Amino acid sequence: MTFHISIVHGPNLNWLGKRETAIYGTQTWEAIFAGLQAWGKKNEVALSWFQSNHEGVLIDYLQKVDSEVDGVLINPGAYSHTSIALRDCVASLDLPVIEIHLSKLQKREAFRHHSYIAEVAQATIAGFGPKGYMLGLELLKR
Ligand code: DQA
């Protein structure tokens, strides 16, 4: 049976490859996702992804996929540090959720040190760049 994982991206992650490349790298999300999809094909994992710059739209999406997929990787972007609404949504999902950050939050500004999502996700992977998504997929698959 195919396992289905959705990757959810918060604000500004549509600008990967363009935004603050010294921190987030030069690869676009489309290029990163192509690599993840190749892994998915080999491992019988169907992948989909969704990005929004809007808090409520992310919540609507997560509520919708709660009954449609087997697991979620989420990089909530800056909402990690601000959104109690997104935290409450993740806490109510019937799915395993792994939080991903490209950068290592603890090495950055103090306002990035706390994540509301980390409190309710199964695990947080941060600081591995795009490889973090692959690690998250492998964890969910296992
Ligand atoms: C980020 C870290 C956040 O603090 C930031 O607001 C982002 C990206 C990361 O992937 O490292 O948008 O989630």
Side-chain angles (χ1 to χ4, degrees), residues 12-126:
N12 299 307
L13 289 160
N14 52 318
W15 268 4
L16 283 180
K18 162 195 163 61
R19 77 181 281 221
E20 300 183 272
T21 52
I23 298 170
Y24 301 118
T26 53
Q27 265 190 300
T28 62
W29 173 243
E30 285 71 18
I32 296 167
F33 188 71
L36 300 177
Q37 250 191 331
W39 177 91
K41 282 205 179 110
K42 271 190 221 138
N43 291 278
E44 288 183 38
V45 176
L47 298 178
S48 53
W49 66 272
F50 179 78
Q51 189 276 333
S52 178
N53 293 321
H54 303 276
E55 189 175 20
V57 176
L58 291 166
I59 292 169
D60 287 343
Y61 179 78
L62 288 168
Q63 289 186 358
K64 180 174 99 64
V65 294
D66 191 33
S67 56
E68 296 176 357
V69 303
D70 303 300
V72 163
L73 291 187
I74 185 166
N75 183 343
Y79 286 145
S80 318
H81 320 301
T82 62
S83 180
I84 295 169
L86 192 57
R87 176 233 179 263
D88 286 352
C89 175
V90 170
S92 298
L93 295 175
D94 290 322
L95 300 167
V97 177
I98 296 186
E99 179 190 28
I100 308 286
H101 296 283
L102 293 148
S103 61
K104 183 152 194 317
L105 304 177
Q106 302 304 322
K107 280 192 178 169
R108 300 186 63 194
E109 302 95 323
F111 63 82
R112 295 184 205 275
H113 293 182
H114 175 258
S115 164
Y116 285 106
I117 311 304
E119 295 170 8
V120 290
Q122 256 70 42
T124 299
I125 297 171

